[in-house]
Amino acid sequence: KKIENHLRLYNDDPQVERVYVIRRKLDDLPVYLGWFAHSGLLLKTTNGRWFICEYGTETNKNKVCLYETTNIKDTTCSTFTDKKRKWNKQICGSELSKKISVNSIKETMEDKTCKHSYWMLFWNCHMAQEGVREEFGLKVDKKYMDKQFEEEYRFSLREI
């Protein structure tokens, strides 16, 4: 028998059309420092709504948050502001090949992050959003702990 994985669409759970990686500076740091940043997923739905799904925010370290944002007017924008925070956004994002709802994305991120407690360097928002993208077959370039970033991290420890 063929077993298929069906993702449930809720009443107010729109289907995701595109997924964008978003990044912003950490609230505790005065500047945006590459991989010392916060990242999440921006979800554009088929009905034109936008949602942010993120893990490990400053106030909710071990929680996945999903909320709607109305501050994006143009899909080709590279930045937007939400809750007084400036986010950098991928220009094109990735199109999903399956029907996936915003709550399915959140539940997948919760499944990926529930194994450990948040740790800024080794169990964080970057790993959460990368794991979700991989789960749904989206390409993940320059992973958080790939060789390049590991070398930068070790170099930065020597400078301290």
Side-chain angles (χ1 to χ4, degrees):
K1 288 185 176 182
K2 184 178 178 184
I3 299 173
E4 292 184 21
N5 185 12
H6 293 280
L7 300 171
R8 183 175 160 221
L9 294 175
Y10 300 83
N11 285 342
D12 189 31
D13 190 13
Q15 180 181 328
V16 177
E17 182 178 282
R18 292 194 85 73
V19 176
Y20 300 83
V21 175
I22 54 176
R23 289 181 181 257
R24 65 169 171 81
K25 76 176 197 70
L26 295 170
D27 287 351
D28 301 339
L29 293 178
V31 293
Y32 178 77
L33 289 174
W35 55 270
F36 273 128
H38 178 66
S39 71
L41 297 174
L42 179 66
L43 312 173
K44 181 181 185 262
T45 65
T46 55
N47 64 0
R49 293 164 70 190
W50 294 87
F51 292 83
I52 293 174
C53 187
E54 59 183 334
Y55 167 73
T57 65
E58 289 82 359
T59 56
N60 292 304
K61 290 289 185 208
N62 285 304
K63 186 176 179 187
V64 173
C65 298
L66 175 69
Y67 54 94
E68 189 167 4
T69 183
T70 58
N71 295 329
I72 301 170
K73 307 297 181 212
D74 178 13
T75 58
T76 61
C77 69
S78 61
T79 64
F80 68 97
T81 302
D82 184 79
K83 297 181 182 177
K84 298 181 181 179
R85 291 179 172 129
K86 182 180 176 184
W87 289 89
N88 294 305
K89 171 188 148 302
Q90 281 181 317
I91 300 295
C92 296
S94 301
E95 187 175 6
L96 291 168
S97 60
K98 304 176 197 173
K99 290 184 177 186
I100 299 168
S101 72
V102 292
N103 277 307
S104 293
I105 299 272
K106 179 186 182 205
E107 290 168 3
T108 301
M109 189 175 283
E110 287 171 336
D111 289 344
K112 296 284 179 192
T113 58
C114 71
K115 298 172 184 114
H116 306 286
S117 290
Y118 178 89
W119 187 15
M120 186 179 195
L121 293 177
F122 298 110
W123 193 255
N124 59 37
C125 55
H126 306 292
M127 295 167 170
Q129 58 89 355
E130 288 171 358
V132 170
R133 290 189 295 142
E134 286 177 329
E135 181 74 21
F136 292 113
L138 302 177
K139 188 175 181 182
V140 178
D141 289 328
K142 298 182 181 176
K143 290 181 82 163
Y144 174 72
M145 287 305 283
D146 74 1
K147 192 169 184 74
Q148 172 193 350
F149 293 119
E150 187 177 336
E151 288 171 6
E152 288 177 13
Y153 171 69
R154 286 187 182 154
F155 178 78
S156 68
L157 288 180
R158 280 188 252 141
E159 297 295 313
I160 295 177

